[in-house]
Amino acid sequence: MRIDILTALPRLLDSYFSESILERAQKKGLVEVVVHDLRDFSTDKHKRLDDYAFGGGAGMVMTIEPIHRCIEKLKGERAYDEVIYMSPDGDLLDQPMANRMSSLKNIILLCGHYKGVDERVRQHLITREVSIGNYVLSGGELPAAVLSDSLIRLLPGVLNDETSALSDSFQDGLVAPPVYTRPAEYNGWGIPEVLMSGHEAKIHAWRHEQSVLRTQERRPDLLESFGDG
Ligand code: SAH
């Protein structure tokens, strides 16, 4: 998979992709994340990326030209499955959406800023819009990183334990069971005995039961949308 991220603030994304699981995934060649500075595509002599809104009102709007030029350049180099604008009014990201999108080959993620992008970008240059939640952030960089992370960790070979992503919350309509690590007793606080039993089937059954209980308690809506879970 290749992910091209278009942004006015490329440095915001540097550290996130150069640590831990995401860094390893790139080093292993499982994903390529390329961040593009939209300023490099500006023909304005001050490299400005925004302008006042027609009709007035507070807040600047990102201009179409640098975005168009960057997308056209990339499209000239390879075919893209989706050109996605990160937007608070887009389709809400959830695990099924991440699962589906993780099989795409090449995607472009466009990060907005200020009041967002000129509407003609949305009308003519992108193929879909994705929101990471019903709240507004100041830029699309965190949303693009969130979406990328949710896709990359699903790519085969990225997580050490192949089954690990499958046991995460939401994958089977259940939230994850509790997990513990050493020490078995800390400050008088112990752990469920079954986890020390070495009895694989019992541990598996206990984890499943905990998942169901937790889902009933915390997210009964998930049980409804997955039938009886
Ligand atoms: N005026 C716009 C918000 C602009 S926020 C509106 O009311 O819809 C600036 C940028 O941050 C947006 O262009 C978008 O790229 C990004 N952004 C903010 N919140 C987001 C969210 N919940 N999901 C995805 N992108 C978001």
Side-chain angles (χ1 to χ4, degrees):
M1 170 179 253
R2 174 175 165 129
I3 305 176
D4 289 277
I5 305 181
L6 280 47
T7 168
L9 297 164
R11 277 184 309 165
L12 278 182
L13 289 160
D14 286 349
S15 67
Y16 198 72
F17 289 101
S18 55
E19 300 278 347
S20 184
I21 293 174
L22 300 190
E23 184 205 24
R24 267 205 316 275
Q26 293 172 86
K27 280 199 169 147
K28 283 195 203 163
L30 301 170
V31 65
E32 193 177 352
V33 179
V34 186
V35 178
H36 304 271
D37 186 346
L38 284 170
R39 254 165 254 284
D40 296 341
F41 298 86
S42 171
T43 50
D44 178 271
K45 68 171 183 279
H46 302 295
K47 300 273 173 213
R48 280 186 52 172
L49 295 174
D50 60 320
D51 211 331
Y52 296 99
F54 279 125
M60 305 297 277
V61 177
M62 286 178 75
T63 56
I64 189 168
E65 196 196 8
I67 296 170
H68 190 202
R69 293 181 66 212
C70 185
I71 291 175
E72 283 305 304
K73 175 182 174 265
L74 290 171
K75 279 183 164 177
E77 294 165 355
R78 67 194 62 75
Y80 284 91
D81 301 305
E82 298 274 15
V83 181
I84 299 168
Y85 174 48
M86 305 311 302
S87 181
D89 60 2
D91 301 329
L92 205 54
L93 174 64
D94 60 8
Q95 193 61 52
M97 186 200 284
N99 292 352
R100 282 194 303 276
M101 282 180 53
S102 68
S103 62
L104 300 179
K105 206 163 163 312
N106 300 315
I107 58 174
I108 290 175
L109 306 182
L110 171 63
C111 308
H113 246 276
Y114 323 112
K115 290 295 281 178
V117 297
D118 188 307
E119 185 65 19
R120 290 165 294 182
V121 170
R122 304 173 69 170
Q123 287 169 339
H124 302 293
L125 304 182
I126 63 153
T127 58
R128 74 180 296 176
E129 306 189 328
V130 174
S131 165
I132 62 159
N134 293 326
Y135 41 82
V136 177
L137 302 168
S138 49
E141 288 74 18
L142 284 172
V146 167
L147 176 58
S148 302
D149 187 325
S150 75
L151 304 182
I152 294 169
R153 66 197 305 287
L154 294 173
L155 300 177
V158 168
L159 298 184
N160 292 333
D161 176 354
E162 286 282 351
T163 61
S164 174
L166 294 177
S167 61
D168 283 333
S169 290
F170 308 118
Q171 282 298 10
D172 49 5
L174 299 173
V175 301
V179 291
Y180 299 87
T181 186
R182 286 185 291 183
E185 175 143 343
Y186 177 77
N187 203 26
W189 302 321
I191 70 166
E193 248 168 55
V194 61
L195 295 179
M196 303 290 277
S197 69
H199 194 301
E200 230 176 273
K202 273 192 191 156
I203 293 172
H204 184 81
W206 179 84
R207 286 189 170 143
H208 183 70
E209 183 188 287
Q210 290 294 313
S211 276
V212 173
L213 283 173
R214 286 208 160 187
T215 310
Q216 281 164 351
E217 264 169 39
R218 294 165 185 234
R219 296 296 306 273
D221 59 301
L222 293 178
L223 293 175
E224 273 157 37
S225 58
F226 272 77
D228 58 3

